[in-house]
Amino acid sequence: MSSSVQQKIQYLRTLPAIRERCNKVHTLAQEGKLEYFEYHPEKEAGAVNFCTKIIQRDFGTNVESIPPHGRWRHLDAGHPRIEPLIAKWKSAPFPPDNKEICRRLLDLFLVSVLLDAGAGNVWKYTEHSNDEVFSRSEGLGVASFHMFSEGFFSGDKGQPHRVDARGLSRVTPENTGISMQASEANPMSGLEGRAMLLFKLGNALRSNPTYFGKDARPGNLVDYLESQSTVSSAETRSVHVSVLWHALIDGLQAIWPTSRTALGGVPLGDVWPCAVLATSSPQPLADGDDFVPFHKLTGWTTYSLLEALQKVLKWEIAGLEHLTGLPEYRNGGLLLDLGVLSLRAGAIATSFYPDPSSNIPRLPPSHPAIVEWRAMTVIELDRIADGIRARLGLTSAQLTLAQVLESATWKGGREIAAQKRPETKGPPIDIESDGTVF
């Protein structure tokens, strides 16, 4: 493999590459050159207004109380679960210190994120202690919490509340389906892919002791990050977000399907060719120059793990401005449902409309329309966040992108979907989930 290809692979795995490549797609949108979508920037003000009203409804002027976007919220769906679990650990005869508490939360959050790819419009999870029923991300979160609590991911009989390679080696689609209450009557999209991700995670943990330690658990990232951190004169520990990002991208690269986009024979994960980048170029592009990286699950993991580091260990995280919005169907659906984007008439073949009575296409993640949609979502989330801040008179430090995702765009995407499609509450474009992307 040439050094130029190696450099390109490394680049496509970085955080800056996501915005840079998505910006290229957005520039084409401004010129009316997208193949599948029309861009209506005049509708952005309406999207900003819609999102701002949700923030004001739920938080009033108390924006500092908005939590960051992270898996913690879904694990607490319906009622708190994380804080009571931490309290239980602290009241044990031999309580763990804060560093071990953080390790356990990183264990839980990582597997919960990997189980979070879309479950479809039908699947539901019933919490037996109170008969509460949850679906989608909350259902997956609550299910993963109980799997963790019951030792599903642990290879240590003396400590069920952990995730390690030994425990993950026992994961199968069958026992995952049972634990997540999936059945013919309660079907879950992407069950096999979801279980395979967890099984592969065990191998990745074992193969990367630098990040995950000799006992091969995600929580040992705490120790790796500490080794790469600095301590200020005020005794505050700080680590750059790129350190965690690189550990996740490098340490987990083996878990992604090998059938994904590759460069130089190396699978790249959630990276896809964008046809319009190639067709709009005045000259032929080099291999990989039309690729757009998203790394959505890695981004979702990063947001989720950072919250534990900040809350439990009180660490400062530098470089948060490099994190992007998450290109998934709630954030992207908001743009379509509010008219910022619209599908070009006839752009998608009728074969992708499984229900003749519906105007909702069903597409695989690799479809070029999905790649365009996701690229536009990344940049539009930045633009909407800027618009909300301008409307409220706030800086990016006072209202972070993570807070906007949590309080406005993701929530707004769900709410507008429920208004427009009350039967399914699904997105305006249905994505075929294999359990490894969305």
Side-chain angles (χ1 to χ4, degrees), residues 9 40 110 129 148 151 157 206 323 330 340 350 389 396:
I9 291 171
H40 309 284
L110 179 59
S129 61
F148 177 80
K157 292 182 179 179
R206 194 179 290 110
L323 290 172
R330 288 303 185 201
V340 178
T350 56
R389 294 183 192 113
S396 58

Side-chain angles (χ1 to χ4, degrees), residues 72-145:
W72 195 311
R73 242 67 54 215
H74 297 158
L75 294 165
D76 277 350
H79 62 269
R81 295 179 186 83
I82 299 301
E83 290 293 356
L85 182 61
I86 293 173
K88 179 180 177 181
W89 292 336
K90 287 184 174 180
S91 65
F94 301 99
D97 60 14
N98 280 342
K99 192 181 292 187
E100 174 58 21
I101 288 173
C102 193
R103 289 190 192 100
R104 293 181 187 181
L105 292 182
L106 264 58
D107 280 351
L108 168 58
F109 291 176
L110 179 59
V111 292
S112 186
V113 166
L114 292 182
L115 285 168
D116 189 37
N121 295 332
V122 178
W123 176 82
K124 290 178 173 55
Y125 181 85
T126 302
E127 192 168 33
H128 294 308
S129 61
N130 51 28
D131 289 331
E132 278 193 86
V133 179
F134 303 92
S135 61
R136 300 186 180 275
S137 282
E138 286 86 352
L140 294 164
V142 174
S144 64
F145 176 85

Side-chain angles (χ1 to χ4, degrees), residues 35-104:
E35 184 178 356
Y36 293 92
F37 292 93
E38 292 179 349
Y39 172 43
H40 309 284
E42 72 279 3
K43 297 286 189 178
E44 286 176 358
V48 168
N49 187 53
F50 180 83
C51 290
T52 302
K53 285 182 176 178
I54 292 176
I55 293 176
Q56 292 171 328
R57 179 196 70 195
D58 295 343
F59 296 95
T61 59
N62 189 22
V63 294
E64 62 271 15
S65 69
I66 299 174
H69 199 44
R71 196 61 170 147
W72 195 311
R73 242 67 54 215
H74 297 158
L75 294 165
D76 277 350
H79 62 269
R81 295 179 186 83
I82 299 301
E83 290 293 356
L85 182 61
I86 293 173
K88 179 180 177 181
W89 292 336
K90 287 184 174 180
S91 65
F94 301 99
D97 60 14
N98 280 342
K99 192 181 292 187
E100 174 58 21
I101 288 173
C102 193
R103 289 190 192 100
R104 293 181 187 181

